[in-house]
Amino acid sequence: MVEGNPLIIVLYVDDLISIGDDHLIQSCKDNLAREFEMKYMGLMHYILGMEVWQKDGEAFVSQGKYGNEILRRFHMEKCKRMQTPLVGNWRMEDTTLGEVVVATIYW
């Protein structure tokens, strides 16, 4: 928290991603640029194989490109689409009342 506002900084290999108030982001970039050689690449469009679309106060993340690459790899890009096959009468159950499972047994 800086001045009561959140500022999130994520560093992955050679990509620095910052999320927060525009003023705080600019101040952070200026401070980092004094210490390190940096280049601003604009808004993020791809991260870890995911597409990112941004507009004021919103971000949408999609794996559509990844899905298309998988279809191409297995020569399935022209296959017919269908709904995800789910059971129509499926109900969620409360599992908190069930038996406790000891996770170390399965290691």
Side-chain angles (χ1 to χ4, degrees):
M1 291 285 230
V2 179
E3 301 169 4
N5 295 313
L7 176 63
I8 300 170
I9 300 171
V10 179
L11 178 63
Y12 181 77
V13 185
D14 61 352
D15 293 326
L16 182 95
I17 302 161
S18 52
I19 303 164
D21 180 69
D22 289 341
H23 172 71
L24 291 176
I25 291 173
Q26 187 60 49
S27 175
C28 177
K29 287 187 334 188
D30 293 343
N31 290 334
L32 287 170
R34 283 189 209 103
E35 289 291 324
F36 306 100
E37 184 178 328
M38 297 176 55
K39 180 168 51 170
Y40 179 63
M41 304 292 290
L43 291 177
M44 175 174 52
H45 297 288
Y46 290 95
I47 182 74
L48 299 175
M50 296 180 287
E51 299 169 278
V52 180
W53 291 277
Q54 301 175 65
K55 59 181 182 179
D56 290 338
E58 298 178 3
F60 177 76
V61 180
S62 169
Q63 287 187 299
K65 182 175 183 255
Y66 174 73
N68 288 331
E69 287 174 4
I70 295 294
L71 291 173
R72 257 192 308 281
R73 182 184 307 161
F74 294 101
H75 309 289
M76 296 179 64
E77 57 267 62
K78 295 192 182 190
C79 290
K80 293 181 183 178
R81 297 177 183 213
M82 66 174 284
Q83 296 293 327
T84 303
L86 293 177
V87 178
N89 60 354
W90 180 78
R91 274 185 337 172
M92 287 180 54
E93 294 182 17
D94 184 1
T95 58
T96 59
L97 304 174
E99 185 179 325
V100 176
V101 176
V102 180
T104 57
I105 293 173
Y106 300 102
W107 284 101

